[in-house]
Amino acid sequence: MSLRRSFSRESSGTRGVPPDPALPAPLSDAELCERAVRAIWRSLDEHELVDEAVRDELAMVLEPLTALPLGPRAQRLIDTLRLPDPIDPAHLYWLTRRLLTLVPELQATAAALSKTRV
């Protein structure tokens, strides 16, 4: 299953049309953060950030997070993830470092959002 399918938030149907019961329910903001963390770790663990398609899919995972109070960092990461191949080593280094520093913030945001829903 690709990241694009598994992390999409577009499963809620269209206006006036009930959602398809075969599709997963829309994800909460906390779940979006948790899935983004898993996608970031998977990309870093597998050294896939050099692949433009992988970077594009990770950018799609991060897009819904731009609505959260994370500042402009999420959008800067998305813009860098969408750079065409070949990605410059300096950009790859910057991207890796920023993704690593984003993980604890996403985990804290997910925990805080989970507490507010309880």
Side-chain angles (χ1 to χ4, degrees):
M1 175 183 297
S2 77
L3 290 173
R4 189 171 308 216
R5 171 109 171 100
S6 63
F7 297 116
S8 175
R9 196 172 188 173
E10 300 299 321
S11 60
S12 59
T14 58
R15 175 174 270 170
V17 178
D20 184 344
L23 295 176
L27 300 174
S28 70
D29 289 340
E31 291 169 323
L32 286 171
C33 289
E34 292 168 8
R35 287 190 177 213
V37 167
R38 286 194 299 272
I40 289 167
W41 280 122
R42 186 171 40 254
S43 295
L44 292 172
D45 286 345
E46 296 175 6
H47 306 285
E48 293 180 337
L49 290 176
V50 295
D51 185 309
E52 185 175 2
V54 170
R55 290 193 317 272
D56 185 53
E57 288 189 24
L58 187 53
M60 289 185 65
V61 171
L62 296 178
E63 278 180 341
L65 303 179
T66 59
L68 298 178
L70 299 173
R73 190 168 13 150
Q75 188 59 54
R76 286 186 15 227
L77 281 167
I78 291 167
D79 293 343
T80 304
L81 285 164
R82 293 223 165 105
L83 289 173
D85 277 344
I87 188 168
D88 181 84
H91 284 119
L92 187 59
Y93 176 77
W94 180 90
L95 181 60
T96 302
R97 301 253 326 173
R98 294 309 174 266
L99 287 170
L100 285 171
T101 60
L102 182 62
V103 166
E105 189 170 345
L106 287 175
Q107 290 170 326
T109 301
L113 289 168
S114 293
K115 287 180 184 178
T116 61
R117 293 190 79 192
V118 174

